Amino acid sequence: MIDEFSLLDRVDNGDIKPTGAKPKLPLQLDGLDSENLNVYRIPLDMLYYNDANGRIRSEHVQVENVSRSIDDGDEYNAIVERLIENSDSVKLRNTKKDIHDKGQLIFGYVLDDGRVIDGNRRFTALRQLQRETSQKQYFEAVILPVTFKNKANRELIKRLELALQMGIENKVDYDAVDAAVDIWQTVEIDQIMLLGDYAKNAGKTVKAVESSLNVVYLMQDFLDHINADKQNFQLIKDLKIYNLLEEIGKKLKKRYPKSGPDMEYSKQLAFTQLHSMILTGGDRVRYMRDYFEGVVDAEKYNDFKDEVDDYVEELQDTFDNTNISSAADYRKTLEELTPQFRKIQKIKNDTINSTKRSKDTLEFIESLRQINKTLADLNVGHGLTGKLRWNQFDSTEIRTIRDYMAQIGKDAEVLVDIYNGEL
């Protein structure tokens, strides 16, 4: 594609034909409505994937070096097509079958320069069908009379994309990583929208958008921690750790509301536990819950930090001297660090067991204190408590209460001897 390329010019000269369908926009856009917009049958070689789409932005590392031009447009499209197929091959296969059997039932949206802003999976399915059947395919889409090159149009384009894919129509949920990265890119990097505007157009709460944005920063911290590209968000997707990072972020924020050095070191230790969990497998939710409850929130947390410090430093040195670009690289590095992780794991388990013993001991003593308090209250009330009165009991009930108290006295004498024997 070249900068001067215009789909609407191709409409005017008859290269692109309307289908006769009229779109119903999912939101009000100044100057655009069903009266001046049409759905067209567009040849696939006139179109290209939108690198600013929320579902593609997390693949930044894979596509960042492929610029679009008249010569390499096919290369760019081929790379993005593979990413879309790898992200969910089952959905793509189903979409392709539906289009093959019934035709394209849902139109997409494209910009005047050929950028596809809605309908990536349908566009991909048609590209593959064209190759597989050797029959020319067309992407049916609305052509919006704007281009991404004009920055003033980008908020309008983003609003439409959010309405189509996340908000009003809510056709397909974004992957959590894709959604978070899209917020970060739109609000922080491109500064197309304010956070509140993004939330409104995406049909989300401001709190939910803020939470996703915070996870992006934590994803970048994790990627930097393992010496990977800080924008290699695909690695987070491959490892399936978004939810765990989100939980780590919430726990750290609760414990360290003002951030600071202690929080940063605790974050590194949490990442270390994340490494260990990925290496050994098992119940991820329980693993992180046990770590925070039994170690981070325990009185012996500082002792734990002192014991693991040397091993954590060894881990960090290894990562700093290794280039991590894929999940395979990362897992290979973890396996090389297995001895250190085993030692850290033992210290963690010992800390959790010690915490549990302390908790059990305190709970036991508290239960005895409550029994003692109940007996003291009875003594003060001359055998009764609260608003109870003797005339509420008959002789049989009073005899039963007396027998219970006598047995408690006998058991107490035996137990006192047992405790004396342990001193």
Side-chain angles (χ1 to χ4, degrees), residues 248 250-256 262-263 265-271 273 287-305 348 351-352 355:
I248 287 172
K250 291 177 181 177
K251 295 287 189 182
L252 291 175
K253 185 176 181 180
K254 182 178 180 180
R255 185 176 177 89
Y256 305 100
D262 287 342
M263 191 273 280
Y265 187 61
S266 287
K267 183 192 302 180
Q268 184 180 21
L269 291 181
F271 288 161
Q273 292 304 312
Y287 190 104
M288 295 308 296
R289 182 193 64 202
D290 288 349
Y291 170 67
F292 274 97
E293 292 181 358
V295 178
V296 181
D297 295 334
E299 292 183 1
K300 296 189 176 182
Y301 185 42
N302 287 331
D303 294 336
F304 170 80
K305 290 191 288 187
K348 184 204 80 168
T351 303
I352 289 176
T355 299

Side-chain angles (χ1 to χ4, degrees), residues 158-328:
K158 192 65 194 178
R159 285 173 59 206
L160 181 59
E161 179 189 327
L162 291 174
L164 289 166
Q165 299 182 4
M166 296 175 67
I168 296 171
E169 292 193 359
N170 196 27
K171 292 183 298 186
V172 181
D173 289 336
Y174 271 35
D175 173 271
V177 175
D178 293 339
V181 171
D182 188 63
I183 293 168
W184 168 73
Q185 187 74 37
T186 302
V187 175
E188 295 291 327
I189 305 303
D190 297 340
Q191 298 184 350
I192 296 172
M193 291 180 174
L194 296 177
L195 190 143
D197 294 327
Y198 189 104
K200 179 180 178 181
N201 283 280
K204 297 177 178 291
T205 65
V206 172
K207 184 177 181 180
V209 173
E210 286 179 337
S211 177
S212 296
L213 190 57
N214 289 333
V215 181
V216 174
Y217 300 136
L218 198 58
M219 287 193 289
Q220 291 184 318
D221 288 343
F222 177 81
L223 292 168
D224 185 57
H225 167 72
I226 64 173
N227 200 27
D229 188 305
K230 289 182 69 173
Q231 295 191 43
N232 188 357
F233 300 112
Q234 179 60 38
L235 183 52
I236 305 295
K237 294 171 71 174
D238 291 342
L239 294 173
K240 296 180 173 60
I241 58 174
Y242 178 90
N243 291 337
L244 288 168
L245 288 172
E246 183 179 36
E247 187 64 22
I248 287 172
K250 291 177 181 177
K251 295 287 189 182
L252 291 175
K253 185 176 181 180
K254 182 178 180 180
R255 185 176 177 89
Y256 305 100
K258 296 183 179 181
S259 300
D262 287 342
M263 191 273 280
E264 290 301 317
Y265 187 61
S266 287
K267 183 192 302 180
Q268 184 180 21
L269 291 181
F271 288 161
T272 299
Q273 292 304 312
L274 192 55
H275 301 324
S276 182
M277 181 205 65
I278 292 172
L279 179 64
T280 59
D283 187 332
R284 293 184 168 199
V285 174
R286 180 177 178 180
Y287 190 104
M288 295 308 296
R289 182 193 64 202
D290 288 349
Y291 170 67
F292 274 97
E293 292 181 358
V295 178
V296 181
D297 295 334
E299 292 183 1
K300 296 189 176 182
Y301 185 42
N302 287 331
D303 294 336
F304 170 80
K305 290 191 288 187
D306 291 339
E307 289 187 65
V308 301
D309 189 62
D310 289 342
Y311 303 121
V312 171
E313 188 173 341
E314 290 178 32
L315 299 180
Q316 193 61 64
D317 287 343
T318 300
F319 279 122
D320 289 344
N321 291 297
T322 307
N323 290 321
I324 304 294
S325 61
S326 67

Side-chain angles (χ1 to χ4, degrees), residues 95-112:
T95 298
K96 185 162 62 173
K97 184 178 185 305
D98 283 346
I99 292 177
H100 179 270
D101 295 344
K102 308 170 188 175
Q104 183 186 337
L105 300 179
I106 303 174
F107 57 81
Y109 285 81
V110 303
L111 304 186
D112 190 29

Side-chain angles (χ1 to χ4, degrees), residues 31-48:
L32 299 177
D33 54 44
S34 58
E35 295 300 317
N36 56 24
L37 293 175
N38 294 284
V39 178
Y40 296 93
R41 298 179 75 241
I42 308 169
L44 303 185
D45 59 1
M46 295 184 183
L47 303 171
Y48 68 98

Side-chain angles (χ1 to χ4, degrees), residues 111-113 144-151 153-154 157:
L111 304 186
D112 190 29
D113 64 356
L144 298 173
V146 296
T147 65
F148 199 77
K149 184 179 179 181
N150 184 343
K151 191 171 183 179
N153 292 328
R154 293 186 185 179
I157 295 166

